[in-house]
Amino acid sequence: MLYLGDEHIRSIGLHWEQLVDCVEDAVQVVDSGDYAQPLKPYLRYKNPQNRIIAMPAYVGGPVQTAGMKWIASFPGNIDEGLPRAHSITLLNKADTGLPYAMLNTPLPSAARTAAVSGLLIRHYLKANAARRFRLGIIGFGPVGRLHYDMCCQLFGSRLDAVYVYDIRSPALDSPDLSSVPKELRSRTKLSGSWQQLYSECDLIITCTVSSQRYIDQPPAPGSLLLDVSLRDYSSAAIGGIEAIIVDDWEEVCRENTDIELLHRECGLTKADTRSLADVVCRSALTAFRPEDPVLFCPMGMAVFDIAAAHYFVMRAEALGIGIRVK
């Protein structure tokens, strides 16, 4: 079995174009039906805010891998100076079930999340070829910083400005942002409040661990909202949006997400939404008007984690990186 620790993953590096391609290929496999992904269970005990999630999946097509990500999310860790999320991923050969790789996956897991956002932005720009953005990121922890890096690397030529807001007054000179072009870093501003950022930006990415919904204002016409943290918007803010994209309705319409909120309070149904597969495989975003706000709510699909882990294993084997465990 090949073991990849965090230092091995960082040696491989985050190549955003390849990671977005990896997720896009996985979406096409899902659309073909050659996959399996049971509804993921949540393990909770003592503090109900904490959870450990099992995310099993099989990905067919060119990947031909089964496996599971086991991810713990303990929001209170942040106040103790610890990472909020910890995860490992185990991969099995699809034909024999033989375990062949284990990865320490906090970084790949967060990078997968950013790559899914990158895929949605990629197809949004295909549908709106002349579009430019003022990017705003609410929450600048590990996931927020990876979204910043990804957006600057892939879509920097489309960004007029970047705004960041975090209640912990983030530093924009963090070493893990060194790959962001200096020109874009010089045009990145810290906002004094989420309201200021929300009013200035038209591509808004929420990456918080907020325990309460706080965004209570409808978005500006033509805004693109990537609701990565899933529990930031009130129904007053997003209840009027008609262009709603989800990665998987059954996964995302539960666990007090903003989609479940819209389902409960506004009668939103699966038929009222479009899937990421509809966007990638059937150009669903072209059906919306340029002035329509678009809301993307990705719960996180295990197939993407398995495909991303497989990608890192293939890169590691090509580069001779990792530890062989008997």
Side-chain angles (χ1 to χ4, degrees), residues 187-258:
R187 288 193 283 122
T188 301
K189 304 175 183 178
L190 292 178
S191 293
S193 65
W194 72 261
Q195 293 93 335
Q196 179 188 1
L197 180 150
Y198 197 67
S199 65
E200 293 281 354
C201 299
D202 45 23
L203 168 54
I204 298 169
I205 308 176
T206 55
C207 302
T208 76
V209 292
S210 176
S211 60
Q212 295 182 336
R213 291 179 166 88
Y214 56 93
I215 299 178
D216 54 4
Q217 304 172 16
S223 296
L224 176 58
L225 311 178
L226 305 187
D227 189 10
V228 174
S229 41
L230 291 168
R231 299 167 185 89
D232 295 84
Y233 290 90
S234 70
S235 57
I238 56 176
I241 297 179
E242 297 183 3
I244 299 178
I245 313 297
V246 299
D247 52 0
D248 183 280
W249 172 265
E250 282 71 26
E251 282 285 6
V252 78
C253 190
R254 62 190 189 119
E255 292 291 330
N256 193 35
T257 65
D258 292 337

Side-chain angles (χ1 to χ4, degrees), residues 137 139-150 171 174 176-177 180:
I137 301 174
F140 210 58
V143 174
R145 293 197 299 272
L146 286 175
H147 274 81
Y148 176 64
D149 185 55
M150 178 275 296
S174 174
D176 56 359
L177 300 178
V180 174

Side-chain angles (χ1 to χ4, degrees), residues 28-108:
Q28 292 170 345
V29 170
V30 169
D31 196 60
S32 76
D34 189 17
Y35 81 106
Q37 180 181 264
L39 201 66
K40 55 193 179 189
Y42 284 60
L43 173 64
R44 288 190 171 92
Y45 53 90
K46 296 185 179 180
N47 185 343
Q49 288 189 333
N50 300 333
R51 57 196 185 270
I52 307 179
I53 311 168
M55 299 178 63
Y58 155 72
V59 185
V63 179
Q64 289 300 315
T65 296
M68 184 178 76
K69 183 174 80 171
W70 178 244
I71 178 166
S73 177
F74 283 51
N77 281 2
I78 294 175
D79 296 326
E80 303 297 327
L82 297 171
R84 175 187 63 85
H86 302 267
S87 69
I88 59 170
T89 300
L90 179 68
L91 299 182
N92 302 72
K93 297 288 186 182
D95 54 349
T96 65
L98 181 70
Y100 71 92
M102 178 180 286
L103 298 81
N104 184 20
T105 46
L107 180 56

